[in-house]
């Protein structure tokens, strides 16, 4: 009888654990995680619309950004200063780079993207790249982490050097 009870218990445990698979979940990145800084979620995660809030002290202190534009065919690079809200017509290409926002201390929350201070702790610029009159890329460039969500194009490369104070 003990053998039968033991056999039934073992069979029950095997059946219970064999049929009980844990649901596989995709990892969720917390707000402010470096993988979320472009405003673009990793594949498989829903896009969250966030409001961009530029604090008064940031507007008062920062007027422009410095960008390095790589001319890939010519294998040259040149640094440009572009006003926040302004644009740059890239030489030898039918491309315009618009600087939409500069945040010296980039911070992303659940509902907004802002600057935690006016100090250049994590400088980021939101840009819009327009080619032949059509927007081809809109995103964030980070001076301290240029490999994070970089702009990719066969003719040019764009890197954020940093902000220019007033």
């Amino acid at each position: 009888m003990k053998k039968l009870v033991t056999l039934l218990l073992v069979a029950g445990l095997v059946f219970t654990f064999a049929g009980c698979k844990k649901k596989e979940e995709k990892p969720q990145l917390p707000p402010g995680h470096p993988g979320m800084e472009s405003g673009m979620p990793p594949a498989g995660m829903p896009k969250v619309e966030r409001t961009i809030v530029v604090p008064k002290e940031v507007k008062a202190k920062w007027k422009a950004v410095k960008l390095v534009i790589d001319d890939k065919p010519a294998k040259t690079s040149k640094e440009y200063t572009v006003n926040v809200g302004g644009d740059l017509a890239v030489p030898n290409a039918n491309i315009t780079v618009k600087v939409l926002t500069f945040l010296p201390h980039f911070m992303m929350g659940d509902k907004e993207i802002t600057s935690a201070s006016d100090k250049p702790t994590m400088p980021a610029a939101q840009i819009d790249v327009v080619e032949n009159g059509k927007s081809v890329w809109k995103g964030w460039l980070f001076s301290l982490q240029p490999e994070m969500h970089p702009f990719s194009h066969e003719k040019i490369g764009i890197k954020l050097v940093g902000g220019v104070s007033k």
Side-chain angles (χ1 to χ4, degrees):
M1 183 65 134
K2 282 185 175 180
K3 287 184 180 181
L4 180 60
V5 171
T6 304
L7 183 62
L8 287 173
L9 283 172
V10 170
L13 288 173
V14 169
F15 177 76
T16 301
F17 287 112
C20 180
K21 287 188 177 180
K22 186 177 179 183
K23 184 180 174 185
E24 192 173 316
E25 295 179 18
K26 292 183 182 181
Q28 297 291 316
L29 297 177
H33 184 278
M36 296 293 289
E37 288 167 335
S38 71
M40 297 299 294
M45 286 186 67
K47 183 175 180 177
V48 176
E49 293 297 324
R50 290 178 175 85
T51 304
I52 298 171
V53 178
V54 181
K56 287 185 266 181
E57 63 272 11
V58 170
K59 284 181 187 177
K61 185 172 181 178
W62 302 95
K63 66 174 182 174
V65 298
K66 287 187 181 184
L67 299 174
V68 170
I69 307 292
D70 297 326
D71 181 336
K72 292 180 179 180
K75 296 182 181 174
T76 60
S77 296
K78 185 172 179 185
E79 186 175 286
Y80 297 90
T81 299
V82 185
N83 287 333
V84 174
D87 55 28
L88 168 70
V90 178
N92 305 320
N94 197 8
I95 297 174
T96 300
V97 178
K98 296 180 179 187
V99 177
L100 304 174
T101 310
F102 176 71
L103 300 174
H105 189 165
F106 183 92
M107 182 71 65
M108 181 183 294
D110 289 337
K111 298 187 180 188
E112 69 181 25
I113 296 172
T114 190
S115 189
S117 73
D118 65 353
K119 308 288 187 268
T121 306
M122 180 61 153
Q126 183 188 40
I127 65 166
D128 187 12
V129 180
V130 178
E131 184 174 27
N132 297 319
K134 182 181 176 197
S135 179
V136 295
W137 190 83
K138 182 178 177 182
W140 291 91
L141 299 177
F142 299 88
S143 66
L144 300 178
Q145 297 177 332
E147 70 285 349
M148 188 184 316
H149 308 288
F151 170 67
S152 179
H153 193 275
E154 69 274 358
K155 292 180 185 175
I156 68 166
I158 307 170
K159 291 185 185 93
L160 174 66
V161 175
V164 178
S165 60
K166 294 182 180 179

